[in-house]
Amino acid sequence: MIETINLTKRYGSFTALNDLNLKIEKGTVFGFVGHNGAGKSTTFSILATLLAPTSGAAFVNGYNVSTEAKEVRNHIGYMPDFFGVYDQFKTVEYLDFYGASYGISPAERQILIPQLLELVNLSNKSDVYVDLLSRGMKQRLCLARSLIHDPEVLILDEPASGLDPRARIEMREILKELKNMGKTILISSHILPELAEMCDEIGVITNGELVASGSVADIQEQLQANKIINVKLASDLEKAVLFFEDHHRVSTVTKNPNRDMLSFAFTGNDEEQIALLKKALDHGLAILSFSQEESNLEDVFLEITKGVDFA
Amino acid sequence: MKSLWINPVLNKEIKLRFRSFKSFLGVFFYLFALGGIAIGFILINTVFSYSSTAIFRPEQSRTMFMVLSFVQMALVLFMTPGLTSGVISGERERQTLNILLTTPQTSTSIILSKLFSSIAYLLLMMVASLPLYSIVFLFGGVSPSLLFQIFGLYFVTMLTIGSIGVFFSTVIRKTIVATIITYGITLFFTVGTAFLTIISMQFSAFQNVNQTSVFPYITSVFNPFIILLNSFEEGLSNEINNASGIAFPLTAAFIIAFLLISFVCLFISIKKLRPNMKEKKGEA
């Protein structure tokens, strides 16, 4: 559905995007994670036919963005990170204009526009001037606009940026609905836990290079050398600390006497983790719980981008 | 072709332009200025005249027509850059251009719609000013064909200056810079070429009578005021033709030159609106 092959964009001596290789299958929600200036918007602009790549190729639905730009435009719904609206249009007129731009007949538009406004919870604002809408409403209206021609691919550049928590939740719910409709969605965001919740796959980009790509679980497994293990004991906390400190795969044991808990970093694989638990039980430790700490996407992002120069 | 004339971008542009209160004010002040001059001219020649008869004669009516025509041309030259030099850069600054460019609307349709909607507004002003010209016809002295000729010149001028405005609006990111450059070029077409024509004519006068120079002809061809004056005073055309040795009619040369400029500006604007998506060969 979306594929990039050695996609590169240079501005003089500055490389904004370097040999990006991506393959996003139909119906996938792909989250693009990266710091500001990492190359996310550059990638999105190329895919939306707004920017010519320096080298490499990008395909949307099998159409080359460089040579078949018109076909690509018919298959994508694009929402930029920053956008404006025609302030003298009413909400309905705004959508009507874009519907007409995509060649949708007036009769179809009359049916389609109320449905889209309902999808983005703006039915009660249909007769309001766009300029008078709040930022969150404008974001939702822009999303409705990107859906007007029922595109198979949605390219959403930070759709939740600058929104208050309620507006973010509303946006997230709409995106979940779009995911259920089978749309292929390429989305970037700084709200990383939200991406983890709704994305099937994520790609981490830093300084124009894709440093990790795959499912959230895969990336966590690939890139997290240290697992954090939390242990809750019924008694003998000191004895347990001495036991775990003695293990060659364990480091940084910290105890919490108030809660009879300890935690440590563990570098072994799953089998070694099972063996460690068995050995601890054999050692006579009264273990109530033994669990690996779930790290969120934010931790993964920080881990991956550790040491990257963001300047 | 139909899609070029009736398309969503043109509909949108016309709707937004004519919905604005500023547009109403624009027409109001335009007619106010033009009407004030027409009425002032009549008052000067009748009520405030030293003549005891105080009659507005046909020859004065023709002079008033000339004055109105020149003022109208000045207003066209003043308003066209302001209306067109922000049509693309303004969308870019409002951050609406990228969204528009991801629709299947062609670059040709976007550029021409922007230009035509601006010209439509100027044409509205022209049409709204027609009742003022009826004063001239009331007193006589001017043929309808001359009126059509003058309005034809206005149209060619606004098309060309408008195309220049759209061109700079497309290739320059900031509206303010595009506007200044468009006004600069308009100033050159009016004051600059007039000055050069006078200088070159004076220079030719000092030369041998049999010697000709194309310079006054070329500078005159790019000056809408000289062409307008030529519509009233045919002797001017003969003088420039004789001085340059070029027999080709001055007005026809003006129309060809201006339409050519317009075509080139629009062609480049259409090419530059979207990035050149063809893969660059030889680059890594």
Side-chain angles (χ1 to χ4, degrees), chain A residues 10 48-52 54-56 65-66 70 73-74 78 82-86 88-89 93 97-98 100-102 145, chain B residues 8-9 12 15-16 19-20 91 94-96 98-106 274-280 283-284:
Chain A
R10 291 199 188 96
T49 74
L50 292 170
L51 202 60
T54 307
S55 65
V65 296
S66 298
K70 198 172 178 186
R73 283 177 205 131
N74 280 318
Y78 173 62
F82 298 104
F83 64 90
V85 287
Y86 301 111
Q88 297 205 14
F89 264 157
E93 291 171 332
F97 161 60
Y98 284 104
S101 297
Y102 280 99
R145 193 260 323 145
Chain B
V9 183
K12 183 231 11 158
K15 192 185 272 185
L16 291 183
R19 185 176 272 182
S20 153
E91 287 245 14
R94 283 197 306 273
Q95 297 177 322
T96 50
N98 273 355
I99 296 174
L100 187 61
L101 294 182
T102 54
T103 68
Q105 290 298 311
T106 61
R274 284 190 165 106
N276 181 12
M277 293 301 279
K278 296 279 179 290
E279 207 165 306
K280 289 166 189 167
E283 278 192 66

Side-chain angles (χ1 to χ4, degrees), chain B residues 4-208:
Chain B
L4 268 185
W5 294 104
I6 306 165
N7 70 63
V9 183
L10 184 59
N11 280 345
K12 183 231 11 158
E13 286 297 316
I14 288 179
K15 192 185 272 185
L16 291 183
R17 192 176 288 282
F18 287 91
R19 185 176 272 182
S20 153
F21 186 68
K22 279 190 290 185
S23 297
F24 161 75
L25 281 181
V27 176
F28 174 78
F29 284 113
Y30 184 82
L31 292 178
F32 189 78
L34 215 56
I37 289 165
I39 291 165
F41 187 86
I42 293 170
L43 286 177
I44 288 167
N45 285 283
T46 53
V47 180
F48 305 127
S49 170
Y50 289 111
S51 162
S52 56
T53 53
I55 296 166
F56 197 66
R57 291 182 296 276
E59 55 269 30
Q60 285 174 323
S61 169
R62 186 179 166 81
T63 311
M64 184 177 124
F65 179 69
M66 274 180 72
V67 171
L68 273 181
S69 301
F70 274 90
V71 171
Q72 183 124 302
M73 179 63 94
L75 287 172
V76 164
L77 288 164
F78 177 71
M79 293 188 74
T80 311
L83 285 169
T84 55
S85 58
V87 290
I88 300 295
S89 53
E91 287 245 14
R92 203 180 280 126
E93 285 166 351
R94 283 197 306 273
Q95 297 177 322
T96 50
L97 186 64
N98 273 355
I99 296 174
L100 187 61
L101 294 182
T102 54
T103 68
Q105 290 298 311
T106 61
S107 302
T108 309
S109 145
I110 294 170
I111 291 288
L112 293 185
S113 299
K114 295 274 184 191
L115 177 67
F116 289 158
S117 71
S118 304
I119 287 180
Y121 180 63
L122 286 163
L123 285 176
L124 172 76
M125 291 182 165
M126 301 276 110
V127 172
S129 71
L130 278 176
L132 287 171
Y133 283 90
S134 70
I135 299 171
V136 174
F137 284 102
L138 186 71
F139 296 105
V142 176
S143 69
S145 64
L146 183 61
L147 182 74
F148 285 120
Q149 191 183 330
I150 300 300
F151 272 68
L153 288 179
Y154 292 153
F155 183 75
V156 173
T157 305
M158 67 175 79
L159 182 72
T160 305
I161 302 294
S163 303
I164 293 168
V166 171
F167 167 72
F168 284 112
S169 184
T170 308
V171 297
I172 292 170
R173 297 191 74 84
K174 290 201 177 295
T175 300
I176 184 79
V177 181
T179 306
I180 289 167
I181 294 174
T182 311
Y183 272 114
I185 288 173
T186 307
L187 198 69
F188 174 74
F189 278 150
T190 50
V191 179
T193 52
F195 180 73
L196 289 172
T197 304
I198 293 165
I199 296 284
S200 57
M201 292 281 274
Q202 293 291 324
F203 190 75
S204 296
F206 285 110
Q207 302 294 309
N208 189 331

